Amino acid sequence: MESERDDGRSPSQLRPLSCARNVLHRSHGSASWSQGDTKVLAAVYGPKAGTKKNENPEKACIEVIWKPKTGQIGKQEKEFEMILKRTLQSICILTLNPNTTTSIIIQVVNDDGALLVCAINAACAALIDAGIPLKHLAVAICCCLAEGGYVILDPTKLEEQKMRGFAYLVFPNSIVSVLPKGSSHVEG
Amino acid sequence: MDGRLANRWRLTVNEKKFIETALASNLRIDGRNPLEYRKIIIKFGREDGSSEVQLGQTHVMGFVTGQLVQPYQDRQNEGMLLIFTEFSPMAGPSFDPGHPGESAVELGRIVDRGLRDSRAVDTESLCVLSGKLVWAIRIDLHIVDNGGNLIDAANIAALAALLTFRRPECTLGGDDGQEVIVHPPEEREPLPLIVHHLPVAITFAFLGSEGKLVVDPTHSEEAVMAGRLIATVNANGDICAIQKAGGEGVPQSAIMHCLQLASMCAISITKKINSAVEAYSTERALRKIKRHPTVAGNVSVAGSDVKEQNKTVEQVGGSELSRHHIERLKVVSEETCSSRSNDNDGDIKSSEQGGTSRGESKAMNFLGGPSNWYGASTFQYFF
């Protein structure tokens, strides 16, 4: 059942992507990633000397700071930071520079659906721009389960609100992490 | 964390001496003359009330949002203007993500004083129901890149965002006229804020032992300067605020000289802001026309035919890119669903151009590789 989406895309079609590298001057690496109207700016500083208190000093440490567009930093921002940190920890080679911290700062410029996915892609591009050695790249995509039970990719904000559940998938060369989010029972 | 001290950036003695010696012969390290401003680029985002200002290497983003709240007890008829400044750790390696440092607080206060105390934004028009509901306008300033002179850039970003912000129209209804109905933008056109004048902040730095004056200091000049004066003036020549917090003492004549220079700079900056806002408003008005499918192809204002066809086809991403770039996306000028895969190609290609226009020359050589890679990755799903 091919149902038309609001902006006329087919269910497995992504919005136009665009990425720009080296957009900031002070940071060691930076990238801006946009999927349709969702736009995220990522900057990387590192490796800096020293690790935080609870971190293992025998390995490099990744620190993620998420800056929302407006408003105070709340639980959701902390959750995004945690997810992003774990994802990036799995792609960075942590044994290369022990007792250092690499900071990744994410700034949300506009949110029109698939925000975390956009941020993961932006962070990966910024790490490449900074020259941080990586095992492989992290490519993220968002899929939603629509009312009719079919899957659509890369939802906009309106589509996200109407969905029954969604999952963010991050691929290196094989599936690394699957984070299902949703409330309804999934069939099939 | 002990490592933090080691990570802080410090200017070397050689660089300091070089800046001061060069200034003795009226030369600045980036080639400007002492009273010259850097290039200002003002861009706007997709939504109303979001601006992005680049002043040389300094990059600041401003977002304006509005909310209905209860007014203050002693100001029952006035709306509220709230300014939040965040020095993002993105801007420089020494910024702490925790609580704001004193320079962040100072910046917030200067912008706040310029806008609120000078009554630039009309707060009485923000009152909906006296004593019960007023509009609270919240300005979030994000410092994204610190290339010096954050205060001026943040001020321009705040002004640009305020001028392009639109608040929903609300009417009083209900049985006793006490119920407030907020109309969504589809129903009624949202209203702009009433801004009486534009207070522009100009920063002067005093360098060296004899207090040489420079306008719009860069990051290195700020590290060397002995004192600083920030004058907030508007295009009419009114002085809205002056800030000189500590630093080297300067004679009275220098202060008067600064204020005169500030008035002149303010006129040119105000003109730039106004022309950027006007260009955005006309583009926004054109965008509004195309929402109705019946007028799709008939509206042809000179030169924007391609953009219109973009919109009717609902290529949202494509139109966003075409706004950022000077070159028209000729690929997208065709039409509908059939050419979508081609459109993706065109969008990726123009992202390369976009990358060039943003990142400076050193980014140019390297754009081929990663962008192409991202181009390839998006087609993985075409099984």
Side-chain angles (χ1 to χ4, degrees):
Chain A
M1 50 191 132
E2 290 280 317
S3 154
E4 274 301 313
R5 296 166 77 170
D6 282 338
D7 48 7
R9 287 185 282 157
S10 73
S12 62
Q13 185 172 14
L14 301 181
R15 288 174 285 183
L17 306 172
S18 95
C19 169
R21 267 191 340 117
N22 207 12
V23 286
L24 302 174
H25 300 98
R26 302 274 297 156
S27 60
H28 298 147
S30 58
S32 123
W33 183 276
S34 66
Q35 290 180 202
D37 275 341
T38 305
K39 187 162 173 215
V40 172
L41 185 61
V44 169
Y45 281 95
K48 295 187 283 188
T51 49
K52 291 200 153 146
K53 270 193 232 169
N54 301 329
E55 302 282 347
N56 183 5
E58 311 230 348
K59 286 191 170 170
C61 162
I62 308 267
E63 181 193 8
V64 177
I65 299 161
W66 181 286
K67 292 271 173 200
K69 186 168 155 188
T70 56
Q72 301 280 59
I73 297 191
K75 298 255 167 52
Q76 196 186 42
E77 281 75 35
K78 292 282 173 202
E79 188 194 357
F80 285 157
E81 284 180 10
M82 183 205 74
I83 294 173
L84 208 58
K85 177 177 163 165
R86 294 208 187 142
T87 310
L88 295 175
Q89 264 176 344
S90 68
I91 65 168
C92 290
I93 304 177
L94 295 174
T95 48
L96 263 185
N97 294 315
N99 204 20
T100 60
T101 305
T102 304
S103 304
I104 294 126
I105 303 110
I106 305 283
Q107 170 71 55
V108 176
V109 179
N110 197 21
D111 179 12
D112 190 30
L115 183 63
L116 186 55
V117 156
C118 206
I120 293 174
N121 291 330
C124 186
L127 283 171
I128 296 168
D129 188 45
I132 308 279
L134 304 172
K135 285 184 218 156
H136 39 62
L137 298 168
V139 182
I141 194 93
C142 176
C143 353
C144 283
L145 191 66
E147 304 285 326
Y150 57 94
V151 175
I152 63 170
L153 293 182
D154 198 15
T156 60
K157 202 156 185 88
L158 292 170
E159 290 172 343
E160 260 185 5
Q161 284 161 353
K162 293 188 284 189
M163 288 303 136
R164 283 164 59 182
F166 47 96
Y168 300 142
L169 304 171
V170 185
F171 300 85
N173 298 314
S174 53
I175 299 176
V176 168
S177 59
V178 177
L179 310 157
K181 282 189 184 143
S183 46
S184 314
H185 170 65
V186 176
E187 303 170 85
Chain B
M1 186 164 125
D2 300 347
R4 290 270 190 215
L5 278 172
N7 294 325
R8 220 185 298 151
W9 171 82
R10 259 183 288 259
L11 202 61
T12 61
V13 176
N14 278 346
E15 284 180 313
K16 196 168 162 180
K17 281 262 160 349
F18 184 73
I19 295 176
E20 289 178 358
T21 325
L23 212 54
S25 1
N26 267 354
L27 292 167
R28 288 168 83 168
I29 46 173
D30 55 355
R32 291 183 281 158
N33 65 53
L35 303 177
E36 196 184 323
Y37 239 84
R38 283 176 288 184
K39 183 161 170 228
I40 304 175
I41 303 172
I42 305 174
K43 285 192 269 195
F44 297 96
R46 186 82 182 144
E47 292 183 357
D48 292 330
S50 65
S51 69
E52 204 179 300
V53 171
Q54 269 180 290
L55 177 63
Q57 289 197 349
T58 304
H59 200 142
V60 179
M61 290 201 275
F63 299 110
V64 176
T65 46
Q67 220 186 6
L68 279 172
V69 296
Q70 265 200 332
Y72 291 132
Q73 286 296 333
D74 51 345
R75 298 223 174 102
Q76 308 244 341
N77 286 336
E78 289 183 15
M80 294 191 233
L81 193 66
L82 308 155
I83 300 178
F84 290 89
T85 332
E86 278 228 42
F87 271 38
S88 172
M90 199 180 259
S94 52
F95 290 130
D96 203 355
H99 62 96
E102 45 179 53
S103 39
V105 174
E106 191 187 12
L107 192 152
R109 275 301 300 146
I110 294 174
V111 177
D112 189 78
R113 211 184 309 149
L115 287 172
R116 199 209 304 257
D117 291 357
S118 65
R119 310 226 169 263
V121 178
D122 186 41
T123 42
E124 285 187 3
S125 63
L126 297 174
C127 176
V128 178
L129 207 53
S130 173
K132 302 237 183 75
L133 275 183
V134 295
W135 282 104
I137 305 294
R138 183 194 160 112
I139 307 175
D140 281 277
L141 295 167
H142 295 288
I143 316 285
V144 164
D145 209 358
N146 182 9
N149 200 8
L150 294 170
I151 296 173
D152 294 14
N155 203 329
I156 298 175
L159 290 172
L162 280 172
L163 287 172
T164 55
F165 174 66
R166 301 278 183 269
R167 63 172 175 88
E169 188 179 337
C170 33
T171 46
L172 295 175
D175 305 322
D176 51 352
Q178 293 291 306
E179 219 181 272
V180 175
I181 311 163
V182 179
H183 298 276
E186 290 84 36
E187 229 178 81
R188 289 214 199 163
E189 182 72 18
L191 307 166
L193 294 174
I194 299 178
V195 180
H196 296 301
H197 63 100
L198 296 177
V200 176
I202 317 278
T203 304
F204 299 90
F206 302 104
L207 297 164
S209 48
E210 68 269 347
K212 272 240 165 225
L213 183 70
V214 295
V215 168
D216 186 19
T218 59
H219 188 70
S220 345
E221 286 169 347
E222 277 187 347
V224 177
M225 70 184 174
R228 175 167 75 167
L229 173 82
I230 298 131
T232 309
V233 299
N234 67 15
N236 303 333
D238 304 323
I239 299 171
C240 305
I242 306 176
Q243 168 108 345
K244 186 188 184 306
E248 184 116 352
V250 286
Q252 193 193 45
S253 52
I255 306 258
M256 297 311 290
H257 186 51
C258 287
L259 293 177
Q260 282 167 350
L261 290 168
S263 311
M264 296 193 300
C265 292
I267 295 173
S268 62
I269 294 178
T270 312
K271 215 187 309 182
K272 282 198 192 114
I273 299 177
N274 281 332
S275 53
V277 168
E278 232 177 78
Y280 170 75
S281 306
T282 40
E283 197 242 319
R284 183 178 179 275
L286 285 173
R287 234 195 300 150
K288 296 227 120 213
I289 297 172
K290 284 154 251 151
R291 290 243 206 125
H292 307 286
T294 47
V295 284
N298 296 343
V299 185
S300 55
V301 182
S304 12
D305 292 323
V306 176
K307 269 205 225 154
E308 286 158 16
Q309 283 173 332
N310 280 353
K311 280 11 173 269
T312 55
V313 167
E314 321 241 28
Q315 282 283 345
V316 178
S319 60
E320 187 205 334
L321 289 171
S322 61
R323 202 168 0 94
H324 286 284
H325 306 159
I326 306 164
E327 298 98 30
R328 202 69 44 117
L329 283 177
K330 300 220 171 41
V331 184
V332 199
S333 70
E334 266 22 73
E335 47 179 315
T336 63
C337 317
S338 52
S339 58
R340 262 179 225 285
S341 50
N342 293 338
D343 295 340
N344 263 336
D345 241 335
D347 289 333
I348 305 290
K349 276 210 203 72
S350 58
S351 78
E352 287 181 341
Q353 295 162 359
T356 326
S357 61
R358 273 204 245 171
E360 291 173 343
S361 51
K362 51 181 169 164
M364 273 219 257
N365 297 334
F366 300 112
L367 270 176
S371 306
N372 282 340
W373 192 91
Y374 285 119
S377 77
T378 60
F379 294 109
Q380 277 177 7
Y381 64 88
F382 286 142
F383 295 126

